[in-house]
Amino acid sequence: MSIDTDSVSPDTDTYPVVITIARDFGAEGHEIGKMLSLELGIPFYDNELLVRASERAGSSVSDAAAYDEQCAAELFAFLPDAVDARSAGDKLFAHVVEVVQELGCKSCIIEGRLSDYILRDNPNQISVLVTAPLEARIEIVRRKRGWDEKRAKKLVKKMQRGRELFYERYSKGKCGLHDHKDLIVNRARFGRQGCVDIIAAAYRAKVAAVERAASEGASAAEAAE
């Protein structure tokens, strides 16, 4: 796998190589993110985002969790931030943005919370979608929770809709859960480890491209002297 140096920035102080993971509910994106962190030796942030954002908002993690990647009031989805009718979820998300931007100053893996859209100006970002067919995701949830298929299907559809609305709301309709991804991996087809291997290969190819770009820039500067 090779990436064109024209598509990356050699300035890793400003633009570190960051992996953002969006995931369909039940596709085990969290588990894959944790395994990827061990494989690559870089930090993984998922629930930590919520903990840090809730601390800044002055609320408990349990209270913040009620709004995490959900839309409490679809009615106000596209109103400007200045509107007083903003929900607690809107206010929490403002702190989530701050946390994602700060964590994204170093190479890491950030899961969910619209992180791919928040860091969209970083040319060294690798935006990933972890997915699987609906039937496979229902079976994963059913097996993990010991539920029947009907109950698992209801939860998967509810949580999936919440994540889709979350993207629509906080990107102001500019980015959907499945939009603008650099890499899409099918957990049902490749399994957890297979997805980790694919994403890790993309990360290493991106790092190599950034290093080549830096080397080419240094060579050009020397030639100009």
Side-chain angles (χ1 to χ4, degrees), residues 82-157:
V83 175
D84 292 336
R86 284 191 303 163
S87 70
D90 296 331
K91 295 171 183 177
L92 175 67
F93 182 71
H95 293 294
V96 168
V97 172
E98 295 173 359
V99 172
V100 169
Q101 289 174 336
E102 290 176 9
L103 294 176
C105 288
K106 295 183 179 180
S107 287
C108 64
I109 303 162
I110 304 178
E111 182 140 325
R113 286 80 181 185
L114 202 64
S115 53
D116 54 326
Y117 183 74
I118 294 169
L119 299 178
R120 63 191 179 279
D121 293 331
N122 180 354
N124 295 337
Q125 177 195 172
I126 305 169
S127 58
V128 179
L129 172 67
V130 176
T131 188
L134 176 61
E135 294 76 14
R137 291 186 283 120
I138 292 171
E139 175 57 22
I140 288 170
V141 171
R142 186 203 66 75
R143 187 175 65 250
K144 281 185 173 181
R145 302 194 178 214
W147 291 355
D148 60 36
E149 182 179 346
K150 182 178 180 180
R151 188 179 179 187
K153 182 176 183 179
K154 183 177 180 180
L155 178 65
V156 169
K157 287 192 169 183

Side-chain angles (χ1 to χ4, degrees), residues 18-31:
V18 175
I19 299 171
T20 56
I21 299 179
R23 65 274 189 254
D24 286 330
F25 187 80
E28 297 196 303
H30 177 80
E31 291 84 350

Side-chain angles (χ1 to χ4, degrees), residues 7 12 21 31 39 48 50-51 57 65 67 72 100-101 109 135 154 158 160 175 180 184 212:
S7 66
T12 54
I21 299 179
E31 291 84 350
E39 172 72 23
E48 176 71 12
L50 184 61
V51 172
Y67 301 101
V100 169
Q101 289 174 336
I109 303 162
E135 294 76 14
K154 183 177 180 180
K158 175 186 175 182
Q160 181 70 20
C175 181
H180 314 303
I184 299 174
R212 289 198 307 274

Side-chain angles (χ1 to χ4, degrees), residues 4-5 27 29 33 40 46 62 112 124 133 209 223:
D4 194 331
T5 56
L40 297 176
D46 186 353
S62 58
N124 295 337

